[in-house]
Amino acid sequence: MTRSAYRRAKPQGGGFELAVWYLMRLTGVALFVLALTHYLILHVLYDPALQNADFITTVRWSSLFWRAFDWTLLMMVLFHAFMGVRTVIGDYTHGGVRAALTMGLYLLAIGLFVMGTVVVLTLPTVVPAG
Amino acid sequence: MLLRYRGGIGMLAWAFHRISGVAIWAFVILHVVDIYLVGGNPKAYDELLAIYASPIGRVLEALLGAALLYHALNGLRIIVMDFWPSLTRYQRQMWLTNWVIFAVLGVIVSYFIFKPLWGG
């Protein structure tokens, strides 16, 4: 069996692209644990029908641990998903279109980074009564 | 190019990896925006969560889970081949193993996601 032709080859010569190649794999392993755990908790252990804004403040984000967990997940997924889509854009476009789409992609990532960080830091911690 | 299948596990695995990856990326955008609403507009968040809990919402949730699980398992397979190239000769066995894990976990997770629909 030969090596798969459809695997993204490790970039030669180091620098930015090589760092991204390693970081995609590093964040990928982290997400294997973080994203699957997050999905298991919020889609299997807790039924979505029982979730609302109150559930987030009084249960899900009532501890620093789960806020830190979800924020770490956000950081990993923003890097992994946006650098992944950057590769997709690079595969199907070129020139000015590629540059514009990639710039839009980075702006969207920054926007989501700010929104996610703001809500995880500012949402009041409410310990449920009783 | 994306959908013209010419055989070989590599290309099929790659196409599924790309499709599931872009789908998860789209959901992440929606999900960060919806979580932001918990602070900014809790009522709108509650209404959105009711859609997530609807029958169609649950089908989409199960599809999200399928995309996540496939992407996670195939991603590990890619990492194994990248860092231990000699193991690439077992890529077919890894691919089949992944589908066994996918099927078993998929049935279990789907059961819990759809159970509330028939009053479980």
Side-chain angles (χ1 to χ4, degrees):
Chain A
M1 187 71 74
T2 53
R3 286 171 68 107
S4 167
Y6 302 103
R7 207 146 24 96
R8 193 136 307 253
K10 188 171 166 184
Q12 301 300 310
F16 178 72
E17 293 303 328
L18 185 66
V20 170
W21 187 92
Y22 274 108
L23 284 170
M24 281 305 276
R25 279 139 190 85
L26 198 66
T27 53
V29 171
L31 286 166
F32 190 96
V33 177
L34 295 173
L36 292 183
T37 304
H38 180 93
Y39 184 90
L40 193 69
I41 292 171
L42 294 152
H43 297 267
V44 178
L45 298 183
Y46 289 101
D47 182 41
L50 307 173
Q51 297 177 34
N52 53 26
D54 193 50
F55 165 82
I56 306 292
T57 26
T58 59
V59 181
R60 178 64 187 164
W61 279 0
S62 63
S63 79
L64 183 63
F65 175 82
W66 287 113
R67 284 195 196 223
F69 182 99
D70 282 346
W71 188 79
T72 308
L73 169 60
L74 178 71
M75 294 305 102
M76 298 294 149
V77 83
L78 283 181
F79 181 87
H80 193 92
F82 279 80
M83 288 320 244
V85 171
R86 167 181 167 273
T87 301
V88 176
I89 290 172
D91 280 351
Y92 300 118
T93 64
H94 60 271
V97 176
R98 179 190 289 180
L101 286 177
T102 306
M103 193 50 65
L105 190 73
Y106 290 159
L107 288 175
L108 182 59
I110 292 167
L112 295 177
F113 167 79
V114 171
M115 286 173 82
T117 304
V118 163
V119 74
V120 88
L121 290 179
T122 61
L123 199 71
T125 302
V126 180
V127 179
Chain B
M1 193 163 62
L2 183 65
L3 296 173
R4 207 179 332 136
Y5 176 54
R6 285 189 300 270
I9 287 170
M11 184 171 180
L12 200 56
W14 173 85
F16 285 177
H17 203 75
R18 176 150 288 192
I19 293 163
S20 58
V22 172
I24 296 163
W25 168 78
F27 175 74
V28 165
I29 297 170
L30 170 69
H31 191 35
V32 174
V33 172
D34 77 45
I35 275 301
Y36 187 75
L37 291 175
V38 176
N41 189 346
K43 240 187 181 56
Y45 181 77
D46 291 355
E47 283 164 18
L48 191 67
L49 257 282
I51 297 171
Y52 286 3
S54 72
I56 294 167
R58 285 175 197 274
V59 171
L60 292 172
E61 241 184 291
L63 285 174
L64 170 70
L68 271 177
L69 190 55
Y70 174 81
H71 201 89
L73 292 170
N74 191 56
L76 279 195
R77 184 177 145 275
I78 293 171
I79 290 171
V80 166
M81 294 190 294
D82 279 338
F83 289 97
W84 296 277
S86 64
L87 293 178
T88 302
R89 86 180 79 126
Y90 298 112
Q91 66 154 317
R92 189 181 169 77
Q93 286 88 332
M94 289 192 275
W95 164 253
L96 293 174
T97 306
N98 279 353
W99 282 115
V100 171
I101 298 169
F102 180 91
V104 172
L105 290 181
V107 167
I108 296 169
V109 167
S110 300
Y111 169 76
F112 283 102
I113 286 178
F114 293 111
K115 191 172 66 156
L117 290 183
W118 48 85

PDB file of all heavy atoms in Angstrom, chain A residues 30-57:
ATOM      1  N   ALA A  30      -6.152  17.812  20.750  1.00  0.00           N
ATOM      2  CA  ALA A  30      -6.849  18.469  21.873  1.00  0.00           C
ATOM      3  C   ALA A  30      -8.353  18.457  21.637  1.00  0.00           C
ATOM      4  O   ALA A  30      -9.143  18.168  22.543  1.00  0.00           O
ATOM      5  CB  ALA A  30      -6.342  19.903  22.041  1.00  0.00           C
ATOM      6  N   LEU A  31      -8.774  18.741  20.396  1.00  0.00           N
ATOM      7  CA  LEU A  31     -10.202  18.782  20.078  1.00  0.00           C
ATOM      8  C   LEU A  31     -10.841  17.403  20.134  1.00  0.00           C
ATOM      9  O   LEU A  31     -12.034  17.285  20.440  1.00  0.00           O
ATOM     10  CB  LEU A  31     -10.417  19.408  18.692  1.00  0.00           C
ATOM     11  CG  LEU A  31     -10.217  20.918  18.634  1.00  0.00           C
ATOM     12  CD1 LEU A  31     -10.104  21.388  17.203  1.00  0.00           C
ATOM     13  CD2 LEU A  31     -11.362  21.635  19.331  1.00  0.00           C
ATOM     14  N   PHE A  32     -10.057  16.360  19.852  1.00  0.00           N
ATOM     15  CA  PHE A  32     -10.586  14.995  19.946  1.00  0.00           C
ATOM     16  C   PHE A  32     -11.179  14.801  21.338  1.00  0.00           C
ATOM     17  O   PHE A  32     -12.264  14.258  21.504  1.00  0.00           O
ATOM     18  CB  PHE A  32      -9.474  13.972  19.685  1.00  0.00           C
ATOM     19  CG  PHE A  32      -9.992  12.559  19.528  1.00  0.00           C
ATOM     20  CD1 PHE A  32     -10.234  12.042  18.268  1.00  0.00           C
ATOM     21  CD2 PHE A  32     -10.262  11.764  20.643  1.00  0.00           C
ATOM     22  CE1 PHE A  32     -10.733  10.748  18.113  1.00  0.00           C
ATOM     23  CE2 PHE A  32     -10.754  10.470  20.483  1.00  0.00           C
ATOM     24  CZ  PHE A  32     -10.988   9.965  19.219  1.00  0.00           C
ATOM     25  N   VAL A  33     -10.462  15.292  22.350  1.00  0.00           N
ATOM     26  CA  VAL A  33     -10.929  15.167  23.733  1.00  0.00           C
ATOM     27  C   VAL A  33     -11.964  16.250  24.056  1.00  0.00           C
ATOM     28  O   VAL A  33     -13.074  15.950  24.499  1.00  0.00           O
ATOM     29  CB  VAL A  33      -9.735  15.264  24.712  1.00  0.00           C
ATOM     30  CG1 VAL A  33     -10.217  15.200  26.151  1.00  0.00           C
ATOM     31  CG2 VAL A  33      -8.732  14.153  24.421  1.00  0.00           C
ATOM     32  N   LEU A  34     -11.598  17.514  23.817  1.00  0.00           N
ATOM     33  CA  LEU A  34     -12.444  18.630  24.253  1.00  0.00           C
ATOM     34  C   LEU A  34     -13.790  18.673  23.523  1.00  0.00           C
ATOM     35  O   LEU A  34     -14.842  18.801  24.139  1.00  0.00           O
ATOM     36  CB  LEU A  34     -11.709  19.965  24.044  1.00  0.00           C
ATOM     37  CG  LEU A  34     -10.441  20.193  24.869  1.00  0.00           C
ATOM     38  CD1 LEU A  34      -9.748  21.475  24.421  1.00  0.00           C
ATOM     39  CD2 LEU A  34     -10.761  20.275  26.354  1.00  0.00           C
ATOM     40  N   ALA A  35     -13.771  18.581  22.192  1.00  0.00           N
ATOM     41  CA  ALA A  35     -15.011  18.730  21.423  1.00  0.00           C
ATOM     42  C   ALA A  35     -15.938  17.536  21.651  1.00  0.00           C
ATOM     43  O   ALA A  35     -17.147  17.714  21.819  1.00  0.00           O
ATOM     44  CB  ALA A  35     -14.696  18.892  19.937  1.00  0.00           C
ATOM     45  N   LEU A  36     -15.375  16.318  21.670  1.00  0.00           N
ATOM     46  CA  LEU A  36     -16.236  15.149  21.859  1.00  0.00           C
ATOM     47  C   LEU A  36     -16.822  15.129  23.275  1.00  0.00           C
ATOM     48  O   LEU A  36     -17.979  14.765  23.468  1.00  0.00           O
ATOM     49  CB  LEU A  36     -15.476  13.849  21.553  1.00  0.00           C
ATOM     50  CG  LEU A  36     -15.087  13.648  20.072  1.00  0.00           C
ATOM     51  CD1 LEU A  36     -14.406  12.296  19.876  1.00  0.00           C
ATOM     52  CD2 LEU A  36     -16.290  13.756  19.142  1.00  0.00           C
ATOM     53  N   THR A  37     -16.029  15.551  24.278  1.00  0.00           N
ATOM     54  CA  THR A  37     -16.545  15.634  25.652  1.00  0.00           C
ATOM     55  C   THR A  37     -17.671  16.662  25.739  1.00  0.00           C
ATOM     56  O   THR A  37     -18.725  16.405  26.317  1.00  0.00           O
ATOM     57  CB  THR A  37     -15.413  16.027  26.628  1.00  0.00           C
ATOM     58  OG1 THR A  37     -14.351  15.090  26.484  1.00  0.00           O
ATOM     59  CG2 THR A  37     -15.896  16.048  28.066  1.00  0.00           C
ATOM     60  N   HIS A  38     -17.445  17.824  25.136  1.00  0.00           N
ATOM     61  CA  HIS A  38     -18.433  18.903  25.122  1.00  0.00           C
ATOM     62  C   HIS A  38     -19.736  18.427  24.464  1.00  0.00           C
ATOM     63  O   HIS A  38     -20.831  18.645  24.993  1.00  0.00           O
ATOM     64  CB  HIS A  38     -17.832  20.088  24.353  1.00  0.00           C
ATOM     65  CG  HIS A  38     -18.717  21.291  24.234  1.00  0.00           C
ATOM     66  ND1 HIS A  38     -18.686  22.344  25.122  1.00  0.00           N
ATOM     67  CD2 HIS A  38     -19.651  21.628  23.315  1.00  0.00           C
ATOM     68  CE1 HIS A  38     -19.568  23.265  24.750  1.00  0.00           C
ATOM     69  NE2 HIS A  38     -20.171  22.858  23.651  1.00  0.00           N
ATOM     70  N   TYR A  39     -19.615  17.736  23.346  1.00  0.00           N
ATOM     71  CA  TYR A  39     -20.800  17.227  22.636  1.00  0.00           C
ATOM     72  C   TYR A  39     -21.526  16.189  23.495  1.00  0.00           C
ATOM     73  O   TYR A  39     -22.747  16.230  23.631  1.00  0.00           O
ATOM     74  CB  TYR A  39     -20.393  16.605  21.297  1.00  0.00           C
ATOM     75  CG  TYR A  39     -21.577  16.133  20.468  1.00  0.00           C
ATOM     76  CD1 TYR A  39     -22.200  16.988  19.564  1.00  0.00           C
ATOM     77  CD2 TYR A  39     -22.073  14.838  20.597  1.00  0.00           C
ATOM     78  CE1 TYR A  39     -23.292  16.561  18.816  1.00  0.00           C
ATOM     79  CE2 TYR A  39     -23.163  14.409  19.856  1.00  0.00           C
ATOM     80  CZ  TYR A  39     -23.765  15.272  18.964  1.00  0.00           C
ATOM     81  OH  TYR A  39     -24.844  14.847  18.232  1.00  0.00           O
ATOM     82  N   LEU A  40     -20.760  15.297  24.098  1.00  0.00           N
ATOM     83  CA  LEU A  40     -21.346  14.234  24.929  1.00  0.00           C
ATOM     84  C   LEU A  40     -22.144  14.818  26.096  1.00  0.00           C
ATOM     85  O   LEU A  40     -23.252  14.375  26.388  1.00  0.00           O
ATOM     86  CB  LEU A  40     -20.217  13.336  25.456  1.00  0.00           C
ATOM     87  CG  LEU A  40     -20.639  12.011  26.080  1.00  0.00           C
ATOM     88  CD1 LEU A  40     -21.181  11.083  25.011  1.00  0.00           C
ATOM     89  CD2 LEU A  40     -19.446  11.352  26.763  1.00  0.00           C
ATOM     90  N   ILE A  41     -21.586  15.845  26.734  1.00  0.00           N
ATOM     91  CA  ILE A  41     -22.260  16.444  27.888  1.00  0.00           C
ATOM     92  C   ILE A  41     -23.529  17.179  27.454  1.00  0.00           C
ATOM     93  O   ILE A  41     -24.590  16.996  28.035  1.00  0.00           O
ATOM     94  CB  ILE A  41     -21.309  17.417  28.627  1.00  0.00           C
ATOM     95  CG1 ILE A  41     -20.172  16.637  29.288  1.00  0.00           C
ATOM     96  CG2 ILE A  41     -22.075  18.219  29.682  1.00  0.00           C
ATOM     97  CD1 ILE A  41     -19.072  17.519  29.850  1.00  0.00           C
ATOM     98  N   LEU A  42     -23.422  17.993  26.391  1.00  0.00           N
ATOM     99  CA  LEU A  42     -24.526  18.908  26.069  1.00  0.00           C
ATOM    100  C   LEU A  42     -25.537  18.364  25.066  1.00  0.00           C
ATOM    101  O   LEU A  42     -26.552  19.014  24.805  1.00  0.00           O
ATOM    102  CB  LEU A  42     -23.951  20.262  25.623  1.00  0.00           C
ATOM    103  CG  LEU A  42     -23.229  20.906  26.820  1.00  0.00           C
ATOM    104  CD1 LEU A  42     -22.115  21.808  26.391  1.00  0.00           C
ATOM    105  CD2 LEU A  42     -24.215  21.601  27.728  1.00  0.00           C
ATOM    106  N   HIS A  43     -25.280  17.183  24.514  1.00  0.00           N
ATOM    107  CA  HIS A  43     -26.265  16.605  23.592  1.00  0.00           C
ATOM    108  C   HIS A  43     -26.725  15.225  24.017  1.00  0.00           C
ATOM    109  O   HIS A  43     -27.722  14.732  23.510  1.00  0.00           O
ATOM    110  CB  HIS A  43     -25.697  16.545  22.170  1.00  0.00           C
ATOM    111  CG  HIS A  43     -25.384  17.892  21.607  1.00  0.00           C
ATOM    112  ND1 HIS A  43     -26.272  18.613  20.850  1.00  0.00           N
ATOM    113  CD2 HIS A  43     -24.288  18.667  21.744  1.00  0.00           C
ATOM    114  CE1 HIS A  43     -25.724  19.768  20.528  1.00  0.00           C
ATOM    115  NE2 HIS A  43     -24.521  19.827  21.052  1.00  0.00           N
ATOM    116  N   VAL A  44     -25.976  14.589  24.916  1.00  0.00           N
ATOM    117  CA  VAL A  44     -26.355  13.242  25.349  1.00  0.00           C
ATOM    118  C   VAL A  44     -26.735  13.245  26.832  1.00  0.00           C
ATOM    119  O   VAL A  44     -27.821  12.825  27.205  1.00  0.00           O
ATOM    120  CB  VAL A  44     -25.217  12.231  25.079  1.00  0.00           C
ATOM    121  CG1 VAL A  44     -25.596  10.843  25.585  1.00  0.00           C
ATOM    122  CG2 VAL A  44     -24.904  12.177  23.586  1.00  0.00           C
ATOM    123  N   LEU A  45     -25.842  13.742  27.701  1.00  0.00           N
ATOM    124  CA  LEU A  45     -26.128  13.730  29.141  1.00  0.00           C
ATOM    125  C   LEU A  45     -27.229  14.717  29.503  1.00  0.00           C
ATOM    126  O   LEU A  45     -28.093  14.417  30.312  1.00  0.00           O
ATOM    127  CB  LEU A  45     -24.848  14.024  29.937  1.00  0.00           C
ATOM    128  CG  LEU A  45     -23.708  13.014  29.765  1.00  0.00           C
ATOM    129  CD1 LEU A  45     -22.525  13.374  30.650  1.00  0.00           C
ATOM    130  CD2 LEU A  45     -24.187  11.593  30.074  1.00  0.00           C
ATOM    131  N   TYR A  46     -27.187  15.932  28.908  1.00  0.00           N
ATOM    132  CA  TYR A  46     -28.263  16.908  29.120  1.00  0.00           C
ATOM    133  C   TYR A  46     -29.062  17.029  27.831  1.00  0.00           C
ATOM    134  O   TYR A  46     -28.513  17.379  26.792  1.00  0.00           O
ATOM    135  CB  TYR A  46     -27.706  18.297  29.464  1.00  0.00           C
ATOM    136  CG  TYR A  46     -27.095  18.410  30.836  1.00  0.00           C
ATOM    137  CD1 TYR A  46     -25.711  18.364  30.995  1.00  0.00           C
ATOM    138  CD2 TYR A  46     -27.888  18.589  31.966  1.00  0.00           C
ATOM    139  CE1 TYR A  46     -25.134  18.492  32.260  1.00  0.00           C
ATOM    140  CE2 TYR A  46     -27.322  18.715  33.232  1.00  0.00           C
ATOM    141  CZ  TYR A  46     -25.948  18.664  33.364  1.00  0.00           C
ATOM    142  OH  TYR A  46     -25.378  18.794  34.605  1.00  0.00           O
ATOM    143  N   ASP A  47     -30.358  16.781  27.900  1.00  0.00           N
ATOM    144  CA  ASP A  47     -31.209  16.927  26.727  1.00  0.00           C
ATOM    145  C   ASP A  47     -31.367  18.417  26.393  1.00  0.00           C
ATOM    146  O   ASP A  47     -31.584  19.225  27.286  1.00  0.00           O
ATOM    147  CB  ASP A  47     -32.578  16.299  27.023  1.00  0.00           C
ATOM    148  CG  ASP A  47     -33.501  16.374  25.823  1.00  0.00           C
ATOM    149  OD1 ASP A  47     -33.020  16.137  24.710  1.00  0.00           O
ATOM    150  OD2 ASP A  47     -34.685  16.685  26.004  1.00  0.00           O
ATOM    151  N   PRO A  48     -31.223  18.795  25.103  1.00  0.00           N
ATOM    152  CA  PRO A  48     -31.378  20.209  24.728  1.00  0.00           C
ATOM    153  C   PRO A  48     -32.726  20.795  25.145  1.00  0.00           C
ATOM    154  O   PRO A  48     -32.838  22.008  25.364  1.00  0.00           O
ATOM    155  CB  PRO A  48     -31.247  20.200  23.203  1.00  0.00           C
ATOM    156  CG  PRO A  48     -30.550  18.940  22.879  1.00  0.00           C
ATOM    157  CD  PRO A  48     -30.888  17.953  23.950  1.00  0.00           C
ATOM    158  N   ALA A  49     -33.761  19.943  25.261  1.00  0.00           N
ATOM    159  CA  ALA A  49     -35.080  20.441  25.668  1.00  0.00           C
ATOM    160  C   ALA A  49     -35.039  21.013  27.081  1.00  0.00           C
ATOM    161  O   ALA A  49     -35.881  21.824  27.463  1.00  0.00           O
ATOM    162  CB  ALA A  49     -36.108  19.321  25.583  1.00  0.00           C
ATOM    163  N   LEU A  50     -34.041  20.586  27.880  1.00  0.00           N
ATOM    164  CA  LEU A  50     -33.942  21.053  29.267  1.00  0.00           C
ATOM    165  C   LEU A  50     -32.985  22.235  29.394  1.00  0.00           C
ATOM    166  O   LEU A  50     -32.711  22.711  30.488  1.00  0.00           O
ATOM    167  CB  LEU A  50     -33.460  19.910  30.161  1.00  0.00           C
ATOM    168  CG  LEU A  50     -34.256  18.604  30.073  1.00  0.00           C
ATOM    169  CD1 LEU A  50     -33.583  17.495  30.864  1.00  0.00           C
ATOM    170  CD2 LEU A  50     -35.686  18.834  30.548  1.00  0.00           C
ATOM    171  N   GLN A  51     -32.443  22.694  28.253  1.00  0.00           N
ATOM    172  CA  GLN A  51     -31.453  23.768  28.301  1.00  0.00           C
ATOM    173  C   GLN A  51     -32.061  25.104  27.862  1.00  0.00           C
ATOM    174  O   GLN A  51     -32.831  25.168  26.925  1.00  0.00           O
ATOM    175  CB  GLN A  51     -30.266  23.441  27.383  1.00  0.00           C
ATOM    176  CG  GLN A  51     -29.506  22.191  27.814  1.00  0.00           C
ATOM    177  CD  GLN A  51     -28.387  21.850  26.856  1.00  0.00           C
ATOM    178  OE1 GLN A  51     -27.762  22.733  26.295  1.00  0.00           O
ATOM    179  NE2 GLN A  51     -28.152  20.564  26.660  1.00  0.00           N
ATOM    180  N   ASN A  52     -31.669  26.154  28.594  1.00  0.00           N
ATOM    181  CA  ASN A  52     -32.015  27.532  28.212  1.00  0.00           C
ATOM    182  C   ASN A  52     -30.945  28.450  28.799  1.00  0.00           C
ATOM    183  O   ASN A  52     -29.951  27.959  29.352  1.00  0.00           O
ATOM    184  CB  ASN A  52     -33.419  27.889  28.715  1.00  0.00           C
ATOM    185  CG  ASN A  52     -33.574  27.627  30.205  1.00  0.00           C
ATOM    186  OD1 ASN A  52     -32.586  27.649  30.947  1.00  0.00           O
ATOM    187  ND2 ASN A  52     -34.794  27.374  30.641  1.00  0.00           N
ATOM    188  N   ALA A  53     -31.150  29.772  28.673  1.00  0.00           N
ATOM    189  CA  ALA A  53     -30.138  30.716  29.149  1.00  0.00           C
ATOM    190  C   ALA A  53     -29.891  30.523  30.646  1.00  0.00           C
ATOM    191  O   ALA A  53     -28.752  30.613  31.120  1.00  0.00           O
ATOM    192  CB  ALA A  53     -30.582  32.144  28.845  1.00  0.00           C
ATOM    193  N   ASP A  54     -30.966  30.227  31.385  1.00  0.00           N
ATOM    194  CA  ASP A  54     -30.855  30.006  32.820  1.00  0.00           C
ATOM    195  C   ASP A  54     -29.968  28.787  33.132  1.00  0.00           C
ATOM    196  O   ASP A  54     -29.176  28.799  34.074  1.00  0.00           O
ATOM    197  CB  ASP A  54     -32.269  29.799  33.387  1.00  0.00           C
ATOM    198  CG  ASP A  54     -32.278  29.878  34.896  1.00  0.00           C
ATOM    199  OD1 ASP A  54     -31.719  30.856  35.435  1.00  0.00           O
ATOM    200  OD2 ASP A  54     -32.809  28.951  35.529  1.00  0.00           O
ATOM    201  N   PHE A  55     -30.105  27.747  32.311  1.00  0.00           N
ATOM    202  CA  PHE A  55     -29.282  26.543  32.486  1.00  0.00           C
ATOM    203  C   PHE A  55     -27.794  26.877  32.332  1.00  0.00           C
ATOM    204  O   PHE A  55     -26.953  26.384  33.093  1.00  0.00           O
ATOM    205  CB  PHE A  55     -29.699  25.483  31.452  1.00  0.00           C
ATOM    206  CG  PHE A  55     -28.718  24.349  31.293  1.00  0.00           C
ATOM    207  CD1 PHE A  55     -28.717  23.274  32.173  1.00  0.00           C
ATOM    208  CD2 PHE A  55     -27.785  24.348  30.248  1.00  0.00           C
ATOM    209  CE1 PHE A  55     -27.816  22.228  32.028  1.00  0.00           C
ATOM    210  CE2 PHE A  55     -26.882  23.303  30.101  1.00  0.00           C
ATOM    211  CZ  PHE A  55     -26.891  22.250  30.993  1.00  0.00           C
ATOM    212  N   ILE A  56     -27.482  27.733  31.352  1.00  0.00           N
ATOM    213  CA  ILE A  56     -26.070  28.097  31.143  1.00  0.00           C
ATOM    214  C   ILE A  56     -25.514  28.821  32.366  1.00  0.00           C
ATOM    215  O   ILE A  56     -24.435  28.480  32.862  1.00  0.00           O
ATOM    216  CB  ILE A  56     -25.899  28.996  29.887  1.00  0.00           C
ATOM    217  CG1 ILE A  56     -26.515  28.338  28.651  1.00  0.00           C
ATOM    218  CG2 ILE A  56     -24.424  29.340  29.656  1.00  0.00           C
ATOM    219  CD1 ILE A  56     -25.814  27.100  28.149  1.00  0.00           C
ATOM    220  N   THR A  57     -26.241  29.806  32.890  1.00  0.00           N
ATOM    221  CA  THR A  57     -25.731  30.590  34.021  1.00  0.00           C
ATOM    222  C   THR A  57     -25.715  29.791  35.325  1.00  0.00           C
ATOM    223  O   THR A  57     -24.765  29.881  36.094  1.00  0.00           O
ATOM    224  CB  THR A  57     -26.568  31.872  34.269  1.00  0.00           C
ATOM    225  OG1 THR A  57     -27.885  31.659  33.791  1.00  0.00           O
ATOM    226  CG2 THR A  57     -25.961  33.062  33.608  1.00  0.00           C
TER     227      THR A  57
END
